[in-house]
Amino acid sequence: MFETLRKSSFKSSLILSVILLIGGGALALFNAGNAFFAATGYVDFATLAPDEIKNQLVEVELWENFGCFIESGSKNTSTNKVTISAYYYIIYTGAMDDAETEYKYMAVKVPSSYGSKMDTMTESTYSGLLSNPLTFSGKIRKLGDKEYQYYKEFWKEAGFTDTDIEELTLPYYIDVHANKLAQNILYILLFLGGAALVIWGVSRIVKGSKGGYLKALRHDIELSGYPESYAESDFNTAAFYAKKGQIRIGRLFTFFDVNSTQPRAIPNQKIMWVYQSTTTHRTNGIKTGTTYSVTIFADGYKDAFNIGVSDENAAQEMLQRFHLSCPWVIVGYSDDLNTLFRNNRTQFLDLRYNTVEHEAVDPAVTEPLN
């Protein structure tokens, strides 16, 4: 039994484990570069030649720009008011004093609060004057299709041909951080989060391969006082109440979630009360479905077990089995029973649990549940 359940548990756990490995690996890999530069320092944009410009974090000191070509914002559909959040300006690559560098044009996206200062810098640039520099930190990104369309229109209006645009410009922009410290923390947390997901995925695989998810099952058996060999024999002879033996009721245990990651085995001698639970699901007041489960309260367990079943017939078959083979168990629900169970547990247990011998009987010689 345990080897079969270990293999089933391991197989069931693999789906989430693989998702964690792939998702965590992608998240960590995607943010590894950002986290590295956030921790060690940004690249000085002025030191990058045009062919070195790529997806990376940079510090840039701007002395000149050549105008805004697009605004970014949102529109309130109720008031039709447009709120601008950022502006895109044309800038040079490279350092101002490096005559050997082949400059190219690209863009910078700055928060709207810098619009006035950037416009003043634009006027100074076209007037041949040197303005006060602005220092930004940000990430180099590739212009999106819509952004690049406006970018090209700017250069077309400036008299550039398609060949000029291809040779003299780069389809990149520096996405300026509104708050560098907060952004750095986010980059590092995303990387660490991805790494943690990978570690979690690996640990799940190791745990599943070694049968670590059977710990709760072994505790259930230990609580019963029976040796594991008894549980194994009971498992093999138990009656099935779901496809593939997902729920089994034996003389000693009620097994459920058999093919899941964490199978369980409630000792029948510990069961106090069982009843059917029916949940009706509605969306906007319209009934969309009904689910059924068998609720089991067992001595030694803080919370009830809710074992999902396919339909009402399956639930009733399980209740019938408890009624026929476990005479110390109260079967069925009523508000009075619920009140007694919640408010006077001892009196509830005296109804059957404390007064009937906990010895499973053959269902064939007992009266069916009415």
Side-chain angles (χ1 to χ4, degrees), residues 44-56 91-95 98 100-106 140 151 166-173:
D44 181 0
F45 180 69
T47 64
L48 297 175
D51 59 356
E52 295 175 324
I53 291 174
K54 55 185 178 181
N55 186 17
Q56 57 191 301
I91 63 172
Y92 264 142
T93 64
D98 186 357
E100 296 181 359
T101 301
E102 180 186 356
Y103 297 142
K104 288 194 176 184
Y105 296 100
M106 57 179 286
I140 296 177
Y151 185 65
E166 179 71 24
E167 293 180 352
L168 302 177
T169 73
L170 296 175
Y172 295 100
Y173 70 99

Side-chain angles (χ1 to χ4, degrees), residues 87-98:
Y87 297 100
Y88 291 74
Y89 287 84
I90 303 295
I91 63 172
Y92 264 142
T93 64
M96 290 183 62
D97 56 357
D98 186 357

Side-chain angles (χ1 to χ4, degrees), residues 108-124:
V108 62
K109 177 184 177 183
V110 300
S112 57
S113 58
Y114 285 94
S116 178
K117 293 180 179 180
M118 291 293 285
D119 286 340
T120 300
M121 182 182 290
T122 302
E123 294 175 2
S124 297

Side-chain angles (χ1 to χ4, degrees), residues 38-324:
T40 63
Y42 288 18
V43 175
D44 181 0
F45 180 69
T47 64
L48 297 175
D51 59 356
E52 295 175 324
I53 291 174
K54 55 185 178 181
N55 186 17
Q56 57 191 301
L57 297 175
V58 295
E59 295 272 9
V60 57
E61 185 179 57
L62 291 182
W63 293 82
E64 56 188 352
N65 76 74
F66 300 91
C68 176
F69 67 93
I70 188 174
E71 301 171 346
S72 176
S74 59
K75 182 178 181 181
N76 187 317
T77 56
S78 300
T79 62
N80 289 325
K81 181 180 178 180
V82 176
T83 302
I84 303 301
S85 60
Y87 297 100
Y88 291 74
Y89 287 84
I90 303 295
I91 63 172
Y92 264 142
T93 64
M96 290 183 62
D97 56 357
D98 186 357
E100 296 181 359
T101 301
E102 180 186 356
Y103 297 142
K104 288 194 176 184
Y105 296 100
M106 57 179 286
V108 62
K109 177 184 177 183
V110 300
S112 57
S113 58
Y114 285 94
S116 178
K117 293 180 179 180
M118 291 293 285
D119 286 340
T120 300
M121 182 182 290
T122 302
E123 294 175 2
S124 297
T125 299
Y126 283 110
S127 300
L129 302 175
L130 194 63
S131 64
N132 293 324
L134 294 175
T135 301
F136 298 112
S137 301
K139 183 177 179 64
I140 296 177
R141 303 182 188 276
K142 192 167 185 178
L143 290 166
D145 292 340
K146 187 176 182 180
E147 295 165 332
Y148 190 65
Q149 179 182 346
Y150 284 102
Y151 185 65
K152 289 186 67 176
E153 288 178 2
F154 176 91
W155 291 116
K156 291 280 188 179
E157 293 177 0
F160 277 41
T161 65
D162 289 336
T163 301
D164 292 334
I165 296 174
E166 179 71 24
E167 293 180 352
L168 302 177
T169 73
L170 296 175
Y172 295 100
Y173 70 99
I174 301 172
D175 189 4
V176 171
H177 298 329
N179 186 316
K180 181 181 178 181
L181 177 60
Q183 194 65 47
N184 284 349
I185 292 174
L186 177 61
Y187 286 142
I188 293 173
L189 288 179
L190 287 173
F191 171 75
L192 293 177
L197 291 177
V198 171
I199 294 172
W200 184 16
V202 172
S203 67
R204 281 178 57 86
I205 291 175
V206 173
K207 182 178 180 179
S209 66
K210 294 184 177 181
Y213 290 111
L214 302 184
K215 183 178 180 179
L217 176 71
R218 293 186 183 276
H219 175 72
D220 293 333
I221 297 172
E222 181 181 351
L223 185 64
S224 74
Y226 293 112
E228 291 186 351
S229 60
Y230 279 38
E232 185 159 1
S233 177
D234 195 53
F235 177 85
N236 294 329
T237 59
F240 289 16
Y241 289 89
K243 293 180 179 180
K244 299 181 180 180
Q246 186 74 355
I247 303 172
R248 305 184 184 196
I249 301 178
R251 288 175 58 85
L252 305 180
F253 296 92
T254 295
F255 303 90
F256 65 97
D257 291 343
V258 169
N259 299 315
S260 68
T261 303
Q262 293 183 302
R264 299 299 299 271
I266 308 172
N268 289 346
Q269 64 178 354
K270 298 289 184 180
I271 297 176
M272 302 177 288
W273 185 22
V274 298
Y275 57 83
Q276 175 184 318
S277 296
T278 304
T279 304
T280 300
H281 304 278
R282 297 182 182 277
T283 302
N284 298 325
I286 300 174
K287 181 179 177 180
T288 56
T290 304
T291 55
Y292 301 91
S293 63
V294 172
T295 299
I296 300 178
F297 286 93
D299 188 23
Y301 294 90
K302 179 180 178 181
D303 299 317
F305 296 96
N306 289 295
I307 305 174
V309 294
S310 58
D311 52 38
E312 187 171 13
N313 288 336
Q316 288 300 310
E317 287 177 4
M318 289 180 64
L319 296 184
Q320 183 85 318
R321 175 60 182 248
F322 285 117
H323 169 72
L324 296 176

